[in-house]
Amino acid sequence: MSIKLETANPVRSFKGRGTELVADGLVRGGQRAVVCASAGNLGQALAWSARGRELDVTVVASRFAPAVKLERIRALGARLELVDGDHELARQRAAELAAGEGVRLLEDSLDLETCEGAATIGLELVESGVAFDVVLVALGGGAMATGIGQVLKELAPGVEVICVQPEGAPAMTRSWRERRVVTTDSAVTIADGVAGRFPIAEVLDDLLVVADDAVLVQEESIITGLRMLLHDAGLVVEPSGALGVAAMLENRDRFAGRHVVTVVCGGNVDMDSYYRWIGSS
Amino acid sequence: MSIKLETANPVRSFKGRGTELVADGLVRGGQRAVVCASAGNLGQALAWSARGRELDVTVVASRFAPAVKLERIRALGARLELVDGDHELARQRAAELAAGEGVRLLEDSLDLETCEGAATIGLELVESGVAFDVVLVALGGGAMATGIGQVLKELAPGVEVICVQPEGAPAMTRSWRERRVVTTDSAVTIADGVAGRFPIAEVLDDLLVVADDAVLVQEESIITGLRMLLHDAGLVVEPSGALGVAAMLENRDRFAGRHVVTVVCGGNVDMDSYYRWIGSS
């Protein structure tokens, strides 16, 4: 197994790859403001990319998002508005705000820059020159899976692209399996970064083209994955970043003898929660 | 502060940069075996570099080295001989072994490949295009400090190169300050990777040319550094890898307003010791 590490950067997730494109494009287009909903990582990355670019960032997030993510969004200078609900409510509120203020709404996974940013992960994998058979990608809204998948299907079509989602937040995986948008009433998982309920139809269309499979994993496997990444790789990772390892743990036969790459996509985690997970049996 | 991360690789330290040169050179020269003394990281890296190259590796190490380092050396296929003493005794024994068997003795810091390997860290820093004022380098035998220092003095002479050693293992720092080899009777520090007592004269000569300063840090600062790297950067680091952060903590005024790069050089640590350090007040 190889790790594609996306946490060793100032925002500790892969999201900066897309927000750099977004911020650059906005400034070139003479825009001064942008609004996004965020589970926590996109908001940080957008705030980071806006620094030094004279771009005002408003992030709408669930008040249940990890404190460390909310603190970092504020610390990076963005305006943060919290909603008393989950990420889907934050998406609604962000859309209202952007419409009311007449500024760009950045929609993760729907807006191409977010997928193009993630696609550069795929490019780096291909350009590494290392042969691999499978890539495991965390599945939330779908930006990472469609971005990486698009590149691999083009440049390394023999590589199996497998999306991984928690059993407690399976909306996009169910949608992929049924080839139509399936929503869920709730999303219950420690993997807050991928806890969506309302898949976007256009993103599903792309995912149906580029993903070879979508699997669900249990919370316990995610926790074991967190522990393995800490003890064997020395990495503090957020639950979404351990989804690929969880999938390997649950599907050992499927991956035996194959070179599997797992994208460790984020490392923003409340340390008190983290220690509780790591310490649990 | 910026981190130059040297732990996100299969041997979790920077030592592979040099051992790739060594192994490649040996094989090109028709050699089939090599012996080295190692505090734990060089041996792992040499064993890693020898894989697939038909090169037999013997590593001599102190039996007091971290268990994880010794286990990894064995797991990577090297022959491991333990001595009942510290790293300096391992160095003696390795020299005897190599002489007896008529094979190459790889001497860390003395043999140019080990410094050239570390020098590529300096090249990457310069080529990153990011301007920085200071680089903090862990000081043990001196390979990393002389390698990085040489490159920076050549290509970025305005950057201050500061070596950092624990107060409990100050031989090379004292030598640098007195401009002559100073040995110590003991080396007492949790930073096992830099716990040498007998500096090499030729390495000191180079260090006197390229290092702007050499500072000593307390064990407590190293532990605080470990904790900061875990909580703020999500990185499990061995004590030697936290020396730069420790130096910043002890010299805040000196580094205020300057862009400091610290090389996080290794992450091989026994997790039980690690949790004990992190948990201590």
Side-chain angles (χ1 to χ4, degrees):
Chain A
M1 184 191 79
S2 295
I3 288 170
K4 180 75 176 87
L5 187 63
E6 293 293 315
T7 65
N9 59 57
V11 295
R12 290 176 65 178
S13 85
F14 76 100
K15 297 279 186 183
R17 294 175 179 267
T19 57
E20 284 292 299
L21 280 175
V22 171
D24 183 61
L26 284 170
V27 170
R28 281 171 193 266
Q31 307 273 338
R32 288 294 182 84
V34 56
V35 173
C36 76
S38 172
N41 283 337
L42 181 70
Q44 273 181 73
L46 188 58
W48 172 269
S49 294
R51 300 200 323 171
R53 283 192 166 112
E54 296 188 33
L55 194 59
D56 288 330
V57 173
T58 301
V59 178
V60 185
S62 163
R63 71 178 182 86
F64 304 109
V68 68
K69 291 182 174 178
L70 302 178
E71 283 159 17
R72 289 284 296 162
I73 290 168
R74 283 198 194 95
L76 287 165
R79 180 162 66 111
L80 177 64
E81 183 174 320
L82 298 179
V83 295
D84 191 22
D86 72 358
H87 180 57
E88 301 301 353
L89 186 63
R91 282 174 62 194
Q92 285 176 34
R93 176 63 187 145
E96 290 166 14
L97 260 183
E101 295 177 8
V103 301
R104 162 84 185 267
L105 172 68
L106 174 62
E107 290 195 78
D108 205 1
S109 302
L110 180 62
D111 290 356
L112 267 188
E113 300 101 317
T114 63
C115 307
E116 286 173 348
T120 61
I121 298 174
L123 283 177
E124 289 175 12
L125 286 174
V126 172
E127 287 167 1
S128 73
V130 177
F132 56 98
D133 307 303
V134 181
V135 62
L136 299 173
V137 186
L139 182 60
M144 190 161 59
T146 56
I148 294 175
Q150 193 89 45
V151 166
L152 293 182
K153 288 303 146 193
E154 186 79 24
L155 302 178
V159 173
E160 195 178 10
V161 177
I162 303 178
C163 305
V164 189
Q165 210 164 32
E167 286 191 350
M172 190 53 123
T173 296
R174 284 197 197 151
S175 302
W176 184 86
R177 289 177 182 171
E178 300 189 21
R179 305 183 70 85
R180 63 177 182 90
V181 169
V182 178
T183 62
T184 60
D185 291 335
S186 63
V188 182
T189 174
I190 60 169
D192 56 279
V194 295
R197 298 186 291 116
F198 302 159
I200 300 171
E202 294 90 331
V203 183
L204 175 61
D205 288 344
D206 290 343
L207 198 66
L208 285 167
V209 176
V210 301
D212 295 299
D213 201 356
V215 302
L216 297 174
V217 295
Q218 298 174 29
E219 298 292 291
E220 203 172 300
S221 306
I222 300 173
I223 289 174
T224 305
L226 289 179
R227 213 178 278 133
M228 288 177 67
L229 286 163
L230 179 71
H231 290 182
D232 299 336
L235 299 171
V236 175
V237 165
E238 64 182 90
S240 307
L243 287 168
V245 177
M248 291 191 70
L249 291 169
E250 292 190 11
N251 301 275
R252 289 177 192 266
D253 289 348
R254 177 174 185 174
F255 299 124
R258 304 171 76 192
H259 187 172
V260 180
V261 172
T262 180
V263 184
V264 172
C265 55
N268 289 300
V269 68
D270 284 339
M271 287 306 288
D272 50 355
S273 306
Y274 184 78
Y275 281 128
R276 201 169 58 241
W277 297 324
I278 292 294
S280 66
S281 60
Chain B
M1 184 189 78
S2 295
I3 288 171
K4 180 75 176 90
L5 187 62
E6 292 294 313
T7 65
N9 59 58
V11 295
R12 289 176 67 178
S13 83
F14 76 99
K15 297 277 186 184
R17 294 175 178 267
T19 58
E20 284 291 299
L21 281 175
V22 170
D24 183 63
L26 285 168
V27 170
R28 280 171 194 266
Q31 307 273 338
R32 289 294 183 85
V34 56
V35 173
C36 77
S38 172
N41 282 338
L42 181 70
Q44 273 183 73
L46 188 59
W48 171 268
S49 294
R51 301 204 319 174
R53 284 193 166 110
E54 296 188 31
L55 195 60
D56 289 330
V57 173
T58 301
V59 178
V60 185
S62 163
R63 71 179 182 87
F64 305 109
V68 69
K69 291 182 174 179
L70 302 178
E71 283 160 16
R72 288 286 296 164
I73 290 168
R74 283 196 193 96
L76 287 166
R79 181 161 67 109
L80 177 64
E81 184 175 320
L82 298 179
V83 295
D84 191 22
D86 72 358
H87 180 57
E88 302 300 353
L89 186 63
R91 282 175 61 193
Q92 285 176 35
R93 176 64 187 146
E96 290 167 15
L97 260 182
E101 295 176 7
V103 301
R104 163 84 185 267
L105 173 68
L106 174 62
E107 291 196 76
D108 205 0
S109 301
L110 180 61
D111 291 356
L112 267 188
E113 299 100 318
T114 63
C115 306
E116 285 172 350
T120 61
I121 298 173
L123 283 178
E124 289 175 12
L125 286 174
V126 171
E127 287 167 1
S128 73
V130 177
F132 55 98
D133 306 304
V134 181
V135 61
L136 298 173
V137 186
L139 182 61
M144 190 160 60
T146 56
I148 295 175
Q150 194 89 45
V151 166
L152 293 182
K153 288 303 146 195
E154 186 77 24
L155 301 179
V159 173
E160 194 178 12
V161 176
I162 303 179
C163 305
V164 188
Q165 210 165 31
E167 286 191 349
M172 190 53 123
T173 297
R174 283 196 198 151
S175 302
W176 184 85
R177 289 178 182 170
E178 298 188 21
R179 304 184 70 85
R180 63 178 183 89
V181 169
V182 178
T183 63
T184 59
D185 292 333
S186 63
V188 182
T189 174
I190 60 170
D192 56 278
V194 296
R197 298 186 290 117
F198 302 159
I200 300 171
E202 294 89 331
V203 183
L204 175 60
D205 288 345
D206 289 343
L207 198 66
L208 285 167
V209 175
V210 300
D212 295 300
D213 201 356
V215 301
L216 298 173
V217 294
Q218 297 174 30
E219 297 292 291
E220 203 172 302
S221 305
I222 299 172
I223 289 175
T224 305
L226 290 178
R227 212 177 281 132
M228 288 178 67
L229 286 163
L230 179 71
H231 290 182
D232 299 336
L235 299 169
V236 175
V237 165
E238 63 182 273
S240 307
L243 286 169
V245 177
M248 289 190 70
L249 291 169
E250 292 190 9
N251 300 275
R252 288 176 193 266
D253 289 347
R254 178 172 183 174
F255 299 124
R258 304 171 75 191
H259 187 171
V260 179
V261 172
T262 180
V263 184
V264 172
C265 54
N268 289 299
V269 68
D270 284 338
M271 287 307 287
D272 51 354
S273 306
Y274 182 77
Y275 281 128
R276 202 168 56 241
W277 296 325
I278 292 294
S280 65
S281 61

